[in-house]
Amino acid sequence: MTLAATATAAAPLVHAQALVDEKDATAMALGYVSDAKRVDARKHPAFAAEQSCARCALYQGQPTDKSGGCPLFAGKQVAGSGWCSGWSRKA
Ligand code: SF4
């Protein structure tokens, strides 16, 4: 076995989850955007500037993570800087 083949065989089997596509049907229904600065406040009057996925009770990443899981988008990652209409204040 070559060194390269050994390194490949030893590589961890980690598959990063894909980021949610804003054009995804669920994302469209929830008004998800990967950057909360692009939230259309006319469509989402409850939105406030300090809201983002990283500050949402449903966000499964750390507040400083660029992305993390969200139960509204199973199997995918949302951007920490993102937002959707399911935003909930952390307790
Ligand atoms: S529910 Fe919260 S963490 Fe999930 S996409 Fe919406 S704002 Fe982001």
Side-chain angles (χ1 to χ4, degrees):
M1 187 178 282
T2 66
L3 183 58
T6 304
T8 301
L13 294 173
V14 175
H15 299 285
Q17 291 179 322
L19 284 170
V20 169
D21 184 337
E22 292 180 10
K23 302 279 190 242
D24 171 290
T26 304
M28 299 273 286
L30 293 172
Y32 172 80
V33 288
S34 61
D35 184 346
K37 291 182 180 135
R38 291 190 285 107
V39 173
D40 185 340
R42 289 168 299 172
K43 287 185 184 169
H44 304 286
F47 170 75
E50 73 273 11
Q51 296 176 1
S52 67
C53 291
R55 293 180 176 165
C56 174
L58 299 183
Y59 189 60
Q60 296 171 333
Q62 295 300 312
T64 54
D65 290 346
K66 287 191 182 276
S67 63
C70 170
L72 300 187
F73 296 97
K76 299 224 170 155
Q77 299 254 306
V78 296
S81 59
W83 183 88
C84 89
S85 60
W87 188 87
S88 302
R89 186 173 303 282
K90 287 185 180 179

